[in-house]
Amino acid sequence: MDLVSVQGLIDNVRAMMSSDTATLLLLDETGRVLEPAASAGLGRRWRGAPHVRVGSGFAGKVAEDRRPTFVNEVNEGSVLNPILREAGVQRLLGVPVFGRNGLLGVLHVGSLGAREFTLDDAERLEGAAAEIGARLSDRTEDDAHLAALVLQRSLLPAAPPTIDGLDVAVRYLPAEGDLGGDWYDVFTLPNGKTGFVMGDVEGHGLRAAIVMGRLRSALRAYALDHDDPAEVVQRLDRKLCYFESEISATVVYAVTEPPFDQVVICSAGHPAPLIARAGRTAADPADIQTGLLLGLEPEGQRQSEKIVLEPGTALAFFTDGLVERRGGPDRHPDQYGERLELVRQAFSAGHNAETICSRIIAVGLGDESVEDDVALVVVRRPL
C-alpha cells in the first residue's frame, strides 16, 4: 500500500471520529520503534515527528499494552511528540493496529478542545484500526514477498563463473510460501583461488533476505583479505553478533585453487556437503565438524578442514530445504534422514554437474511444492 492510500485511510478516520487529528505510526523492521506513517489535521508538520520506542510515551505505551489508551492531559510527561503539544492537542485516544502476523503499529486521534473520548469512541477506532491492519497486511505481505524475491534474485548468481579445471552448476528454488534467507555464492579471488558459499539466515521474509544480503557482502569482503576460511567465518560471526544481534545463521565456506586437488572448508552450523567419489554408487556427508552457528558466540574459534578432491570427485553444498519439510500431521522425525538418504543414493560423480543438480533436485523434492527455499551448488573435478 502506497503513501497516498495510507493518507486517504487516515483522512477517513479523522472524519469518522470527528476528531481534530488522526495519526498512524508503524513499527520498523526491528519491531521496537514506531515511525510516523501518515497524519491528518497537523498539516505537513507531522513528518518531523519523533520515532518512538515501544514502551515510551503515549504511542509507545499503546504498542506495549496493546489496548486502547486515553490521555486527558497532554504534556511532556505523557506525550513525547512535541508537534502534538505545540498544535494544542488536549485529549488523545490511541489503539493498537494488528495485522495477520501481530502488531503493526498504533492509530491515535486527538482533540484540540476538552472533548472526553469514550469507550464507544475506542470501539469505533478499534474497528478502523482493524480495517487498516487488514489492508496493510494484504499489501505488505505481497510487497515484502516480491521485495525479498527481487533482492534474492539480484544477489544470487543465476550461473556460476566459468572456472578452468572445475565443473560447477547451481540451483535456487524460492519457496512457494514465505521466502527465507538461503543464499549461495561462487566467486574467484585475485590470488587465483575460488570460493564456494552456502548459507541460511534464520527466519523468513524480507528481513531474512536483507540480512542475507549483508552477510553475503561481508563474507566477500573478508575473503579478499583472508585466505583461511576459518578466519573469514569467524569475522562474519562477529559481524552478525554485534550488528545483527537478534538473528542467527548457518554458513559453510570452502576455498580451492588449481590444481583443485583439495578443498579447505569451514562450517558454522550448516549441513556438511555431500561428497561423491568416482566408482562409488552413492555419496556420503563430508567428514567435517559443523561447528556452532553464527550469531551466538562472537569470540568463538573456528577451524578449517581439508577435503581431498580426487579427479572425478564431486561435492554438493545445499540448504536444508532440499531434505527437510516443515511440520505437519504427516511429518515424522526421521523424514530428514530419509530424504537425505534418497539424495545420497541419487548423487553419483559419474555425471556432469548440471546433470547431478537435476537428479538431486528431482529426488529431493519429487512432485511436492517447495515449502522452504532450496539452494544447491555442485562442484566436480573432472577426470
Side-chain angles (χ1 to χ4, degrees), residues 17-35:
M17 296 297 298
S18 299
S19 58
D20 294 306
T21 67
T23 300
L24 175 68
L25 301 96
L26 297 176
L27 286 172
D28 72 344
E29 65 176 23
T30 70
R32 295 180 295 185
V33 178
L34 290 163
E35 301 175 322

Side-chain angles (χ1 to χ4, degrees), residues 36-37 48-49 58 78 143 145 154 201 231 238 301 342:
F58 164 63
S78 61
D143 288 350
H145 189 278
S154 70
V201 175
E231 180 70 19
R238 296 183 72 228
Q301 296 298 307
L342 290 173

Side-chain angles (χ1 to χ4, degrees), residues 155-157 183-185 211-220:
L155 295 175
L156 303 179
W183 99 91
Y184 66 89
D185 204 359
V211 174
M212 175 272 286
R214 292 171 180 163
L215 289 181
R216 174 186 179 272
S217 297
L219 189 148
R220 282 188 161 204

Side-chain angles (χ1 to χ4, degrees), residues 31 55 64 112 143 164 167 215 276 280 283 308 322-323 352 359:
E64 182 178 59
L112 299 178
D143 288 350
D164 290 337
D167 180 18
L215 289 181
R280 297 190 183 180
V308 176
L322 177 67
V323 293
N352 62 31
R359 288 170 61 93

Side-chain angles (χ1 to χ4, degrees), residues 2 16 23 25 32 54 63 150 192 207 271 310 329 335 347 377-378:
D2 58 30
M16 179 196 73
T23 300
L25 301 96
R32 295 180 295 185
V54 172
V150 170
R207 168 68 171 161
E310 299 164 340
Q335 190 174 65
F347 181 12
V377 173
V378 171

